[in-house]
Amino acid sequence: MASSSDYIIEVRIDVLKTLKIFGITATALTAIGLGAYYIHHRMQSSRRVILQDEVKHVLEPFELSDEQLRRVMANLNTQMTNGLKSNDSENNDLAMFPTFVNFRPNGQESGEYLVVDLGGSNFRVSHVNIEGRNRLRLKNKIFLIPHSLLLGEGEKLFDYIAECLQRFIDDNGLATHKRADYKFDLAFTFSFPCTQTSLSQATLVSWTKGFSCTGVVGNDVVLLLQNAIDRRKTLQIQVVALVNDTVGTLMACSSLYRDCRVGVILGTGTNACYFENLDNVPKWAGERNQSTKQIVINTEWGALGKHGCLDFIRTKIDRELDESSLTPNQQIFEKMISGKTFYICKLVIFKRNLALYLGEIVRLIIIDLVRSSILFPDRMQKAPSRGRDYNIFLSLRGSFYAKHVADIECDKTEDLSVTASILTSIGIYDPSYDDCYIIREVCKTVSLRAAKLAAAVIAVVVNRVNMPSVTVGVDGTLFRHHARFRKNLIRTMSRLVPRTHRLVLSEDGSSKGSALVAAVNRHNQETLTST
Ligand code: GLC
C-alpha cells in the first residue's frame, strides 16, 4: 500500500513532468510563434520596400524641398508688393485689401456688442461684453445654414441671419431692461474677399469655400445685412463694422500680445492679414496723416497661383481637384493646403462640395493608386460586391475628410487598426495591412506638404513685418486640431524665419476681435463728436 508520502512524491513527479512537458511545449510554441512572426515581419518589410518604391513614385511630386519653399516665398513676396500697388486683378494674384483697421486695441475698450460670424458651413452669433483691462465675456450660439440657402438667393440668406439674431436676443433676454431707443452695435465677421471703402462698407468680390448665393457678389454686404435686420421691425441693431476673420484673429491676439502683428486662418479656407506701413501701400486712397502710419492689409493669399506662379509645384492631382471644383482656377493655393476638419452633416457636405481639399487630395491619390493596382489589388478583383462599396467611396467627391487625414497620419498602432477602422467606416472594408500602410504614407505626405506651404507663406509675412520679434495669431481647425500639421508647420518655420517669432492659437478670436474693432470704432466716433 502506498504511504501518503509516496503519494505526495508521485504527485510531485507528475507535476514536474507536466511542467517539463509544458515547458518544452511552451518553448517550442514560442519558438514557432517567434519564427512565424519573424518570417511574417520579414515578408511585410520586404513587401513594404517594394511597395515603397511604387508609392514613392506617386508621392514624389508632393515632397517639397526648402529650395522650392523659398521660391514660393519669393513669388508670394512679389505678388504682395504688386497687390499693394494696384487693384489690377488681371495681373495680380493677391487682392491685398486695405481694411480700414489702423489701430490696435489698448485694453481700455468697453461696451456690449453683437457679432455675426459668417465664413463656413455654419454661422455664429455672439454677445460680447468688453469690460476694460482686456476683460471680455462672450456668449454665443452656432446656427446651421440650410443647404438651400447657401446656393439660393442672397436676400434669403441675410433674412435667415436676421431671424437667428432675433432668436439669440430673445433666448438670452438681451433686449430686456434696455431703453426703448437702444441700438446694439454689431460687427460682421465676414470671411470672404471684400473691397472696403470704409469700416462699414464692403463689396463682395467673389464667393469662396463653396458658397454661391445669388445677388451678393458686387454688392455691399453690410447693407444687405442691415436691410435684412431693418426688415424685422423688432430688431434694433446697427451694423458698424465688417471684419475679415483674419483681422478678428489679429485684433483678439494683439490685445494680449504686444508684438502681435499678423493674423492667420488655417481651416476651411486659408488667409492672413498683417500691419503694413502706409508708405508701402501706393494704392491706398484713404487719408494719410501723422497719426495713421500703418493699416491692416487682408492679403487673401488663398488666391496665390492664379497666374501660374505655383505651377512649378502643382501636381496633376492639384489640377484635377481644381478643375472639378465649384471655382476652377480660383484659390489655387487654398486648394493645396486647407481642409475642413469637422463636418456637421454628411449630406450637406456631399451635396455642397465644400472646401475639403486636403481630404480630397488624398482621395484622388488613392484613386490613382487603385488604378495602378497598388492599392486593394485582390479586393477589387476578387470580391465584386466589396468592389462596388469601394467604388462608391472612390467616386464620391468629398467623401474623405481632412479629419481622416489627421487621424490616419497619427496612427501609431502596430497593426494600423485606427487606419483600418477609419477606412472601414467609409466603405473600404477589411483593408489589408499594406493598404493601411500606404494610405498612412499618403496622408502623411499630403499633410506635410500643406504644413510646409503654410510655413512658407507665414514666414514671408513675418519677415515683412520686420520687427525683432513677432507673434502670429492663428485660428482654424487645421491648426487647432491637427497636432502633426502644427508640429511640421512650426518646425519648417524655424528654418525659414531668421527672427524670433511664435504662433499662438486664438480662442474665439474672430468674434472677440471683431467686437474689439466695433469698440475702438465707437470710441473714435465718440471722440470725434465730443471735439
Ligand atoms: C477664404 C476667404 C478669406 C478667409 C479665408 C479663411 O480664403 O476668401 O476671406 O479669410 O477663407 O476663412
Side-chain angles (χ1 to χ4, degrees), residues 346-376:
K346 275 186 190 172
L347 269 179
V348 173
I349 300 265
F350 285 170
K351 278 194 196 162
R352 264 201 345 236
N353 181 22
L354 258 179
L356 301 151
Y357 305 130
L358 279 195
E360 186 61 6
I361 293 173
V362 169
R363 195 184 69 90
L364 292 174
I365 299 177
I366 292 178
I367 294 179
D368 227 31
L369 294 171
V370 170
R371 281 200 192 120
S372 33
S373 300
I374 296 172
L375 272 177
F376 325 134

Side-chain angles (χ1 to χ4, degrees), residues 119-123 143-152 157 192 208-213 268 324-327 340 342-357 397-398:
S121 51
N122 46 46
F123 80 97
F143 293 89
L144 264 185
I145 307 175
H147 169 244
S148 56
L149 286 185
L150 286 182
L151 305 178
L157 173 70
F192 300 94
T208 50
K209 297 179 286 191
F211 276 62
S212 62
C213 294
T268 309
S324 60
S325 74
L326 280 180
T327 49
K340 187 173 176 60
F342 295 101
Y343 49 92
I344 310 297
C345 157
K346 275 186 190 172
L347 269 179
V348 173
I349 300 265
F350 285 170
K351 278 194 196 162
R352 264 201 345 236
N353 181 22
L354 258 179
L356 301 151
Y357 305 130
R397 218 182 296 154

Side-chain angles (χ1 to χ4, degrees), residues 97 118-120 190-194 206-209 244-247 264-272 298 300-303 331 334 338:
F97 295 121
L118 179 72
F190 185 72
S191 313
F192 300 94
C194 288
S206 60
W207 284 116
T208 50
K209 297 179 286 191
N244 187 265
D245 51 356
T246 53
V247 181
V264 170
I265 301 290
L266 295 164
T268 309
T270 183
N271 191 12
N298 167 13
E300 288 293 333
W301 72 20
Q331 303 297 100
E334 185 161 85
S338 62

